């Protein structure tokens, strides 16, 4: 028997006094309580990845200001996103990559697949 999948859209606002970091939260629905899900709180605004594919230097997302935090999605195995930015000699830049969920359940089942392990390459 296939269990229907619920899709939930959340808008989360945190008071300025909340310290930046990773917080766990759970959802309660008609089928019970979810696994703990990560919520990342940042001091900087978060920018949505622009629409379209960014899989080559020619289609790279231009990063015009620093610091910048992008949230995006890889929709298929092997997909990569390119970002382009200027860096000056002596400037220190920090990069972090986070996957969205600790485990991803197969649609309607209790089976899980291993964590997505993002990688970063700088050219």
């Amino acid at each position: 028997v296939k269990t229907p999948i619920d899709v939930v859209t959340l808008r989360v606002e945190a008071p300025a006094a909340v310290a930046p970091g990773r917080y766990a939260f759970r959802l309660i629905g008609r089928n019970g309580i979810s696994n703990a899900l990560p919520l990342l709180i940042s001091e900087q605004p978060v920018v949505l990845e622009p629409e379209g594919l960014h899989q080559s230097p020619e289609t790279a997302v231009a990063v015009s200001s620093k610091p910048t935090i992008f949230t995006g999605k890889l929709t298929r195995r092997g997909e990569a996103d390119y970002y382009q930015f200027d860096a000056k000699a002596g400037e220190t830049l920090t990069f972090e990559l986070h996957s969205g969920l600790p485990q991803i359940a197969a649609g309607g089942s209790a089976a899980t697949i291993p964590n997505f392990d993002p990688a970063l390459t700088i050219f």
Side-chain angles (χ1 to χ4, degrees), residues 98-117:
H98 298 274
S99 62
L101 299 172
Q103 292 186 26
I104 301 170
S109 76
T112 59
I113 57 176
N115 207 14
F116 168 65
D117 187 19

Side-chain angles (χ1 to χ4, degrees), residues 13 17 35 41-42 45 62-63 80 87-90 101 105 107-110 112 115:
E13 293 186 28
N35 293 338
I41 301 290
S42 168
V63 179
K88 295 177 178 47
L101 299 172
S109 76
T112 59
N115 207 14

Side-chain angles (χ1 to χ4, degrees), residues 47-110:
V47 178
L48 290 174
E49 175 187 8
E51 292 290 326
L53 297 177
H54 313 288
Q55 294 193 23
S56 70
E58 295 76 31
T59 60
V61 174
V63 179
S64 58
S65 65
K66 295 177 279 209
T68 301
I69 298 174
F70 282 96
T71 182
K73 182 188 265 188
L74 299 175
T75 57
R76 67 183 188 283
R77 183 179 298 273
E79 181 179 342
D81 284 336
Y82 280 71
Y83 292 83
Q84 176 183 320
F85 57 90
D86 291 325
K88 295 177 178 47
E91 185 176 19
T92 300
L93 301 175
T94 302
F95 301 89
E96 290 184 33
L97 298 151
H98 298 274
S99 62
L101 299 172
Q103 292 186 26
I104 301 170
S109 76

